[in-house]
Amino acid sequence: MFQEMAHAASDGTAALRDALGQPPCPTATAATASRSTEQDPGLDDDRRKCDSLQDCPRTSATGWEILAAKTAFPAFADAWDHLNARLYDAHPFFDSRFIAPLLDHFGTGSEKLCIHRTRDGISGALILCSIGLGRWSCFRPSQVQATAVMLDDVRLLETLLNALPGWAWTIELHAVDPRYAPEFSRLALPQIVDAQARTIGVQPEGVFGDYWDGRPKNLAKNIRRYFRRVETEFGAPRLALHVDAGEMETCISRYGDLETSGWKGQAGTAVSGDNPQGAFYSEVLRRFAVTNQATVYELHIGSHLASSRLVISNEHMLIILKTSYDESLARFAPGRLLLYRVIEEQFSQPARKTIEFYTNATSDQKEWATFGCTMQNIQIFRSPLYAAAFSVLRAVRQNLRVPRDGQQDSDAAIDPVEYRKSIADLRAEQYDLGEFSAQDHLEASADWLELLESNVYADDPGVRHYFRAEKKSPQVILPVRLTTNGPVRSVEALSNYYTSLYAPLVSHDADLLSLRDLLAAAARDHGDAHAMHFAPMDPESSTFHALLTGLRANDWIPFRFFCFGNWFLRVEGNWEDYLRKRSANLRSAIRRRCKRFAADGGTLHIATNPEHVENSIAEFQAIYSASWKKPEPYPDFVPALIRRLASMGMLRLGFARLGERTIAAQLWIVDRQKASIYKVAYHEQFASYSPGTVLTAHLLQHVIDKDRVQEVDFLIGDDHYKRMWMSDRRERWGIVAYNPRTLIGCALLLKEIAGRTVRAAAAALRRVCLPVRRLLSRNNATKTANCDTPHKGSRW
């Protein structure tokens, strides 16, 4: 079937642009115009459009098509560019003018072009290669610094595994730029995500002088010194820009001379005019130059070509493809001087473009950058079983591997991860924890962790905060406890029943792939831990996904498990709007209960600030003790929480009083956009007044009308009464994982699998038996009815 489809594509029997159902966008048209002009510069626009339509495959099928990429890609080039323009703003690395030369010069013929169609047109495209035994990988020669994964919905990969020839059990995608890729956290299939490289870029905002003033002083000092050195010996260096398509081959020849004369020439990896690399770059630059999207920057020192940079671009982005310099002029740092001129030139343009380096940046290169991004390697598995088997086999292989010369594992030998035993230790060492304040969400803050450490885990020696930091600014903090229960060593989330939502602390520009190394460090510090446990978490959050992928990347076997339901309210409008959307029973109950409570002298009060906070704490504890609630196992935690909330302006402590006597109390937390109902209690002697209903209504009206929150959260539990007050339900889940490198970890893993298998079998059996029981019940009811009905001629 696949061969027939490939043959149909090569014959050009469908108009793919018609299938897209949309007009060509300007950027895609530029790429098409480039190809058409090169083929026949005399073609007019109408003729080009007609030929383009005739060259596209025409089909009404939906789903995946698997085609021979090298022969089929030319017919799909226009559609490929349309999809690239629609999804990723015509990323140059994904442009057909870059991909087609890649296939021509470096393809082997085994590559597969994977095209996904819907009734509305093309919704997915990527190029894969079989690497044997059901494994598939993206097509990525060394010239590709970012892989094209063009999908409307990442979940299309679930069906791609079934569409690939043979029995595909894994797909490996290398050098994925998360900024120009689908959201892989939406994919239900198991994944392993690794860091491939840390690339950098320059966003040319403001004026060049401001940008340069923001660079490290040593960099600015060195660049001034190099310029003075050049000017002293040769005069001012000269910058030349080459943009014409006809110049590109000559530019590549000069570039090749630079590389060939240096270390790359000795290693045999240099670009030259007579090798495939040179031919590839010449063709790419020539194609992009047709639409003024290619530039070769050359820096001349005296009569010498000192440095050269190859660049392609789109309307918003400039990508540095290659850089070379004359090593005999290294004392002038010509590569750096040219980079300075390139950035300066970009700042001078009326339409500035982001400069993308797409390299594994060194510390020196990072000094030039205004932003960074971690490129990712992503491996996707057909099912959790395949992911687990892969991790177990890899763990066994690593266990069998004998370190040479007494060397340790590379992860252990080179590990920039640090830890401290408390948030107080981090503060004492003047780490900047400003990004982890409680303004947005208390439980995802350093303040919350301090409360737990001081009032719950003060005597626990296993508390750890693993982190990575740049210049005293932690990027990600993983708060955990190292625990031992008999022979089992575990790494657990720093949370307990006071915690409604656990998550690692993450800065705004953090790389979540760092969690892999933090997890590895925690396991190693605990004597190669056997198990890990993180709960309760938001299963839709990026940190939940990152923990799962990080555990798999470390060859642990993770499982998800349900913790509890969480009811919450999406606030739309004011209190009156809220009441109109509630049931008539609840509205009636609120009206009647509040009326009776007020008639008997009841009053309501909300404490919000530190004034008289100790009296409020005493009043709250008194009513809590008189309620049905069990005594707090850590009696200092709630008072400390109330004090902290009052100091931050987040306290909403409500009291219902009859005369001078408090009969109910509720502790609510209000951060920037959300109110959380944390603790509720009432005096059982006054249950007839329904003081919980009265006080909840009062606090709810306060946070909606005065605090203007966007969400009210009932936190933990699926209690029936919560759904009367709230509008939506979500779930909190946890992660448990086991280390297959250890015998105890393997035993726990087998126990987990056995338990899940038994529960799944029991659930399946119940599903099978339920219809049977219903049928038997109906039959019995029919027989009983027949027996109870007197028949004609009977003695009844």
Side-chain angles (χ1 to χ4, degrees):
M1 180 181 69
F2 298 128
Q3 292 176 348
E4 293 172 357
M5 291 159 62
H7 180 67
S10 62
D11 287 344
T13 59
L16 196 55
R17 182 179 292 165
D18 290 344
L20 284 167
Q22 59 182 21
C25 68
T27 317
T29 304
T32 305
S34 168
R35 289 190 300 275
S36 301
T37 304
E38 291 175 276
Q39 293 165 2
D40 188 349
L43 287 175
D44 60 22
D45 291 341
D46 293 335
R47 173 72 180 279
R48 289 172 192 153
K49 181 177 180 181
C50 179
D51 288 350
S52 175
L53 289 171
Q54 291 174 353
D55 287 342
C56 290
R58 187 182 301 276
T59 177
S60 60
T62 60
W64 284 103
E65 297 178 62
I66 311 299
L67 312 169
K70 200 160 187 176
T71 55
F73 187 82
F76 283 86
D78 289 345
W80 178 282
D81 286 329
H82 281 297
L83 190 61
N84 180 25
R86 179 164 62 84
L87 294 179
Y88 306 128
D89 207 14
H91 194 294
F93 272 151
F94 307 163
D95 196 294
S96 66
R97 294 171 291 175
F98 188 85
I99 301 297
L102 271 178
L103 287 167
D104 291 341
H105 294 283
F106 306 109
T108 64
S110 63
E111 299 81 13
K112 300 297 181 183
L113 174 63
C114 306
I115 298 292
H116 188 273
R117 298 177 186 271
T118 66
R119 293 177 181 176
D120 297 326
I122 301 298
S123 60
L126 67 163
I127 299 174
L128 299 178
C129 310
S130 173
I131 53 178
L133 300 176
R135 296 175 62 191
W136 290 79
S137 177
C138 59
F139 172 58
R140 185 180 170 259
S142 60
Q143 292 73 21
V144 179
Q145 302 305 315
T147 296
V149 185
M150 300 195 295
L151 302 170
D152 269 344
D153 189 332
V154 72
R155 290 171 291 189
L156 293 176
L157 291 173
E158 298 173 11
T159 55
L160 177 58
L161 281 162
N162 292 323
L164 289 169
W167 182 256
W169 60 273
T170 186
I171 296 175
E172 300 174 23
L173 303 173
H174 302 285
V176 174
D177 186 339
R179 300 168 298 171
Y180 302 97
E183 181 52 64
F184 280 88
S185 63
R186 299 183 60 206
L187 184 64
L189 297 179
Q191 305 160 51
I192 291 178
V193 183
D194 281 330
Q196 188 260 349
R198 183 69 177 175
T199 187
I200 56 171
V202 175
Q203 186 69 47
E205 297 176 343
V207 298
F208 179 76
D210 291 341
Y211 159 78
W212 193 242
D213 289 342
R215 300 310 96 208
K217 292 182 180 180
N218 283 341
L219 174 62
K221 177 182 176 181
N222 288 335
I223 294 299
R224 285 195 302 271
R225 179 162 53 87
Y226 293 136
F227 271 119
R228 284 198 301 268
R229 186 178 296 171
V230 171
E231 291 167 0
T232 299
E233 297 187 32
F234 293 97
R238 179 172 57 87
L239 177 67
L241 279 67
H242 303 277
V243 297
D244 293 336
E247 295 182 279
M248 293 300 125
E249 187 172 351
T250 304
C251 290
I252 288 296
S253 178
R254 290 196 297 269
Y255 181 94
D257 291 341
L258 288 178
E259 277 204 347
T260 303
S261 64
W263 66 269
K264 286 189 176 182
Q266 297 174 1
T269 60
V271 171
S272 69
D274 57 356
N275 68 11
Q277 281 203 83
F280 165 74
Y281 285 113
S282 292
E283 183 176 354
V284 168
L285 290 171
R286 179 171 53 82
R287 290 188 177 205
F288 276 83
V290 169
T291 54
N292 299 316
Q293 293 176 315
T295 305
V296 177
Y297 291 86
E298 294 181 340
L299 184 76
H300 295 266
I301 295 178
S303 60
H304 304 280
L305 173 60
S307 183
S308 176
R309 287 182 183 260
L310 314 180
V311 170
I312 57 176
S313 64
N314 63 14
E315 293 180 1
H316 312 289
M317 176 194 306
L318 181 150
I319 295 176
I320 299 175
L321 288 178
K322 296 280 287 181
T323 300
S324 188
Y325 67 93
D326 186 341
E327 294 182 14
S328 68
L329 300 174
R331 68 186 185 281
F332 302 111
R336 287 187 165 198
L337 298 185
L338 178 55
L339 178 57
Y340 179 92
R341 291 299 191 206
V342 170
I343 297 174
E344 185 180 42
E345 187 263 347
Q346 195 53 229
F347 268 89
S348 68
Q349 298 299 313
R352 301 171 180 178
K353 299 178 181 181
T354 300
I355 301 172
E356 294 278 1
F357 286 68
Y358 278 114
T359 184
N360 194 12
T362 64
S363 58
D364 289 341
Q365 290 171 324
K366 289 178 182 178
E367 294 179 342
W368 297 81
T370 61
F371 67 88
C373 175
T374 298
M375 306 293 288
Q376 300 176 352
N377 294 331
I378 303 173
Q379 185 170 6
I380 302 160
F381 298 91
R382 176 180 283 269
S383 72
L385 179 62
Y386 286 97
F390 178 84
S391 294
V392 169
L393 290 174
R394 193 164 68 170
V396 170
R397 186 167 63 248
Q398 290 179 356
N399 273 352
L400 295 176
R401 186 179 63 194
V402 180
R404 290 174 295 181
D405 301 327
Q407 292 180 347
Q408 297 178 348
D409 191 285
S410 59
D411 288 340
I414 305 173
D415 194 346
V417 174
E418 302 178 66
Y419 79 83
R420 298 294 183 272
K421 292 187 176 182
S422 69
I423 294 294
D425 289 345
L426 287 167
R427 294 192 195 279
E429 296 182 37
Q430 297 184 337
Y431 280 94
D432 182 6
L433 303 181
E435 286 213 51
F436 311 125
S437 67
Q439 292 181 354
D440 293 325
H441 182 51
L442 176 63
E443 289 188 87
S445 72
D447 299 271
W448 177 262
L449 296 175
E450 273 190 308
L451 285 168
L452 285 177
E453 292 166 4
S454 302
N455 301 282
V456 178
Y457 299 120
D459 300 322
D460 191 332
V463 173
R464 297 284 190 279
H465 297 281
Y466 289 91
F467 66 95
R468 271 198 170 121
E470 293 183 8
K471 299 178 181 178
K472 289 291 186 177
S473 296
Q475 305 301 299
V476 182
I477 300 177
L478 180 66
V480 297
R481 293 171 58 231
L482 310 184
T483 65
T484 302
N485 184 9
V488 179
R489 297 187 295 273
S490 300
V491 177
E492 300 183 354
L494 186 60
S495 63
N496 68 351
Y497 39 79
Y498 289 126
T499 306
S500 66
L501 190 64
Y502 169 83
L505 304 186
V506 179
S507 67
H508 75 282
D509 60 347
D511 177 9
L512 285 177
L513 294 183
S514 297
L515 281 171
R516 174 190 179 179
D517 297 324
L518 306 190
L519 291 166
R524 187 169 57 248
D525 289 351
H526 204 23
D528 211 6
H530 307 122
M532 292 196 185
H533 186 279
F534 301 98
M537 297 187 69
D538 177 2
E540 303 299 324
S541 67
S542 58
T543 50
F544 187 88
H545 177 74
L547 283 175
L548 279 174
T549 57
L551 288 163
R552 290 194 187 101
N554 289 336
D555 297 326
W556 283 59
I557 313 299
F559 298 87
R560 296 159 42 113
F561 65 90
F562 174 75
C563 295
F564 52 80
N566 168 227
W567 285 90
F568 67 102
L569 170 71
R570 300 183 195 274
V571 178
E572 297 173 351
N574 57 25
W575 170 248
E576 295 301 326
D577 296 324
Y578 165 80
L579 284 177
R580 278 193 290 270
K581 295 176 183 178
R582 305 280 70 78
S583 68
N585 286 341
L586 180 59
R587 292 198 303 268
S588 175
I590 292 173
R591 185 174 59 254
R592 288 184 292 103
R593 301 302 184 187
C594 290
K595 182 177 180 180
R596 181 193 171 196
F597 179 73
D600 289 353
T603 58
L604 299 167
H605 173 71
I606 302 176
T608 61
N609 54 56
E611 187 178 2
H612 309 303
V613 69
E614 296 303 325
N615 292 336
S616 298
I617 291 172
E619 190 174 359
F620 178 85
Q621 289 182 307
I623 197 64
Y624 201 86
S625 300
S627 72
W628 74 98
K629 298 291 186 74
K630 294 181 180 179
E632 293 287 345
Y634 300 98
D636 294 333
F637 179 80
V638 173
L641 172 61
I642 292 174
R643 294 186 191 99
R644 184 69 64 98
L645 293 174
S647 69
M648 296 187 295
M650 300 170 66
L651 177 66
R652 303 295 182 270
L653 184 56
F655 296 103
R657 301 184 180 117
L658 271 179
E660 298 297 324
R661 186 164 188 181
T662 302
I663 66 170
Q666 294 187 9
L667 173 58
W668 289 35
I669 301 169
V670 173
D671 52 36
R672 185 170 295 176
Q673 301 290 342
K674 178 173 140 181
S676 301
I677 307 172
Y678 191 73
K679 288 279 186 180
V680 300
Y682 64 85
H683 200 302
E684 291 187 283
Q685 181 180 343
F686 299 92
S688 61
Y689 282 95
S690 298
T693 298
V694 174
L695 189 52
T696 298
H698 182 65
L699 280 161
L700 198 53
Q701 182 177 8
H702 181 92
V703 299
I704 290 175
D705 285 347
K706 294 187 177 181
D707 294 317
R708 298 186 181 279
V709 299
Q710 296 180 3
E711 180 181 311
V712 180
D713 193 342
F714 236 129
L715 300 180
I716 299 172
D718 267 320
D719 308 81
H720 179 73
Y721 71 88
K722 293 180 179 179
R723 68 187 66 189
M724 295 190 302
W725 294 90
M726 303 289 106
S727 61
D728 296 273
R729 181 186 181 274
R730 58 196 168 202
E731 294 181 346
R732 301 310 186 201
W733 284 65
I735 300 170
V736 62
Y738 304 101
N739 184 357
R741 291 193 185 95
T742 64
L743 290 177
I744 293 177
C746 285
L748 293 171
L749 173 62
L750 293 175
K751 180 181 177 182
E752 181 77 28
I753 293 172
R756 287 174 177 262
T757 302
V758 169
R759 290 192 293 274
L765 185 61
R766 284 194 297 272
R767 287 194 297 270
V768 171
C769 292
L770 183 59
V772 176
R773 287 202 302 270
R774 289 175 177 171
L775 180 61
L776 291 175
S777 298
R778 284 197 297 269
N779 289 339
N780 290 335
T782 302
K783 290 178 181 179
T784 302
N786 290 338
C787 291
D788 290 343
T789 304
H791 293 278
K792 184 177 180 181
S794 71
R795 290 179 294 174
W796 292 10

